[in-house]
């Protein structure tokens, strides 16, 4: 993490089944760096284990940050450690907020959250309500006991704009995506966050109903599964020295460089945070991230070496 802040866990709360929230306060001083709706922070859960979590509190607050964390059964160690190891009173290290999922000025905003994806969406709802903007929020969860921050939503001044949908509920309360999209209007912007399948369902649904790509905004919490059965070895060339490093089929660029004594700063290692962004000076990357836009990927002048590979036999990197 480039910018490191020391914070204390002042409150740890069970928000729903398998979901806890952490309230983080500054150790030094009274204020934390300001943030905008959609921002996330890096959290060092233990030495060498850093994960990204969206801020879900009111973006006008600077005395605290709040994050929500789902215990993931497929966890690589991060979410389980948050649930089982982090405790109130503990001091941890975080980064300053970064925002890859910002609100844009729009006549109307449509917010869709799936499961733990409610964290940045809730922050957006807070901000839109404060500015008097026109918006509607839909929150989908597997069941009521797995829906976090429900009491907070019910007590919010924008509660009447929030619609809850539960997979195990009756058909009448389930999300009718087509109807919601059609009612939003031609000037609306869509924001969606949640599991990969939920994001794909919503974004493809919007595209199928004529929504332009520039009106659809989304953020993944985890990298998407990629078929690696046909991966081949390739080389990367370090522009600063001319050194060539081979990347085997079963190894990431970051891992191959690390083995060669070249360190690239990483965080999520899933292609979602952008920490390891590296300029590509020559060659064609095989983009496998959920960070760049389609236009940025088409430019082929940068890639994320934690997950992406090469379509060409050689990539020349600005390292």
């Amino acid at each position: 993490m480039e910018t490191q802040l020391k914070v204390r866990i002042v409150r740890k709360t069970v928000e729903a089944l398998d979901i806890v929230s952490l309230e983080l306060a500054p150790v030094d001083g009274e204020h934390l760096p300001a943030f905008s709706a959609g921002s996330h922070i890096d959290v060092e859960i233990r030495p060498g284990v850093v994960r990204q979590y969206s801020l879900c509190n009111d973006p006008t607050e600077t005395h605290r940050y709040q994050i929500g964390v789902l215990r993931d059964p497929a966890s690589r160690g991060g979410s389980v450690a948050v649930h089982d190891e982090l405790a109130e009173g503990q001091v941890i290290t975080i980064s300053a907020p970064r925002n890859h999922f910002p609100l844009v000025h729009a006549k109307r905003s449509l917010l869709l959250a799936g499961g733990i994806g409610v964290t940045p969406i809730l922050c957006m709802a807070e901000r839109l309500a404060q500015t008097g903007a026109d918006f509607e929020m839909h929150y989908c969860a597997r069941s009521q006991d797995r829906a976090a921050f429900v009491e907070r939503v019910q007590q919010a001044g924008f509660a009447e704009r929030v619609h809850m949908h539960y997979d195990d509920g009756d058909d009448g309360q389930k999300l009718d995506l087509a109807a919601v999209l059609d009612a939003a209007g031609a000037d609306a912007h869509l924001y969606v966050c949640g599991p990969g399948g939920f994001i794909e369902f919503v974004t493809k649904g919007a595209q199928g109903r004529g929504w332009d790509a520039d009106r659809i905004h989304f953020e993944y919490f985890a990298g998407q599964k990629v078929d690696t059965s046909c991966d081949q070895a390739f080389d990367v060339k370090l522009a600063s020295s001319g050194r060539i490093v081979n990347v085997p089929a079963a190894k990431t660029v970051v891992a191959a460089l690390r083995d060669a004594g070249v360190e690239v700063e990483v965080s999520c290692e899933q292609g979602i945070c952008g920490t390891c962004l590296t300029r590509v000076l020559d060659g064609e990357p095989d983009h496998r991230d959920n960070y760049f836009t389609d236009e940025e990927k088409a430019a082929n002048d940068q890639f994320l070496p934690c997950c992406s590979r090469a379509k060409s036999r050689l990539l020349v990197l600005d390292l």
Side-chain angles (χ1 to χ4, degrees):
M1 292 184 285
E2 294 182 2
T3 303
Q4 296 189 348
L5 305 171
K6 293 293 185 182
V7 294
R8 190 180 308 278
I9 303 172
V10 296
R11 188 170 291 105
K12 182 178 182 179
T13 306
V14 176
E15 301 287 353
L17 181 62
D18 289 335
I19 298 176
V20 297
S21 68
L22 300 182
E23 182 178 336
L24 310 174
V27 171
D28 300 317
E30 298 180 354
H31 301 286
L32 291 165
F35 69 96
S36 54
S39 293
H40 71 271
I41 55 173
D42 296 345
V43 178
E44 185 178 56
I45 300 166
R46 68 163 81 98
V49 178
V50 178
R51 298 290 184 265
Q52 292 72 42
Y53 298 108
S54 295
L55 296 174
C56 60
N57 55 303
D58 184 334
T60 64
E61 296 178 341
T62 59
H63 68 287
R64 67 166 188 157
Y65 292 153
Q66 185 184 36
I67 59 174
V69 182
L70 169 70
R71 180 192 290 272
D72 185 353
S75 172
R76 296 175 296 134
S79 70
V80 170
V82 170
H83 279 252
D84 296 345
E85 300 175 23
L86 297 188
E88 291 183 357
Q90 189 171 344
V91 174
I92 59 175
T93 301
I94 65 171
S95 72
R98 292 179 291 175
N99 198 342
H100 304 312
F101 189 38
L103 284 169
V104 300
H105 180 71
K107 290 186 177 180
R108 179 173 171 79
S109 297
L110 179 60
L111 312 178
L112 272 75
I116 193 60
V118 72
T119 49
I121 296 298
L122 184 54
C123 188
M124 289 179 171
E126 295 274 10
R127 179 58 181 164
L128 291 168
Q130 289 166 1
T131 59
D134 183 12
F135 76 96
E136 183 176 285
M137 174 178 164
H138 292 262
Y139 182 7
C140 302
R142 288 166 57 188
S143 57
Q144 282 187 289
D145 62 348
R146 290 185 176 275
F149 307 110
V150 173
E151 184 176 351
R152 172 179 163 185
V153 169
Q154 292 173 338
Q155 295 176 355
F158 55 84
E160 73 281 354
R161 304 187 191 191
V162 182
H163 307 271
M164 304 297 300
H165 309 280
Y166 302 110
D167 291 351
D168 63 354
D170 63 78
D171 290 344
Q173 54 81 56
K174 291 184 178 179
L175 176 67
D176 183 345
L177 180 62
V180 169
L181 291 170
D182 290 348
D187 295 324
H189 277 244
L190 169 66
Y191 301 84
V192 56
C193 188
F198 179 78
I199 293 176
E200 185 174 4
F201 166 68
V202 173
T203 56
K204 287 189 179 302
Q207 292 165 0
R209 305 193 81 76
W211 285 61
D212 294 331
D214 62 356
R215 293 199 293 135
I216 303 173
H217 313 274
F218 54 89
E219 183 175 52
Y220 285 96
F221 274 125
Q224 302 304 290
K225 292 183 178 179
V226 176
D227 182 4
T228 61
S229 60
C230 295
D231 284 357
Q232 301 290 322
F234 60 95
D235 293 327
V236 294
K237 181 178 180 180
L238 310 184
S240 62
S241 64
R243 183 181 178 188
I244 293 179
V245 176
N246 180 257
V247 182
K251 188 171 288 187
T252 66
V253 177
V254 163
L257 289 173
R258 184 184 299 125
D259 290 348
V262 180
E263 291 294 332
V264 175
E265 184 178 5
V266 295
S267 184
C268 75
E269 298 189 66
Q270 298 185 79
I272 57 176
C273 74
T275 299
C276 64
L277 188 152
T278 302
R279 288 182 62 210
V280 176
L281 304 180
D282 196 15
E284 183 180 4
D286 179 6
H287 297 287
R288 300 183 179 184
D289 63 272
N290 288 309
Y291 178 80
F292 293 122
T293 64
D294 290 342
E295 291 77 12
E296 289 170 332
K297 290 179 179 178
N300 283 329
D301 58 358
Q302 53 191 346
F303 85 139
L304 300 187
C306 70
C307 64
S308 296
R309 299 185 65 79
K311 292 182 178 179
S312 55
R313 187 65 186 83
L314 177 70
L315 285 182
V316 181
L317 306 181
D318 187 20
L319 292 174

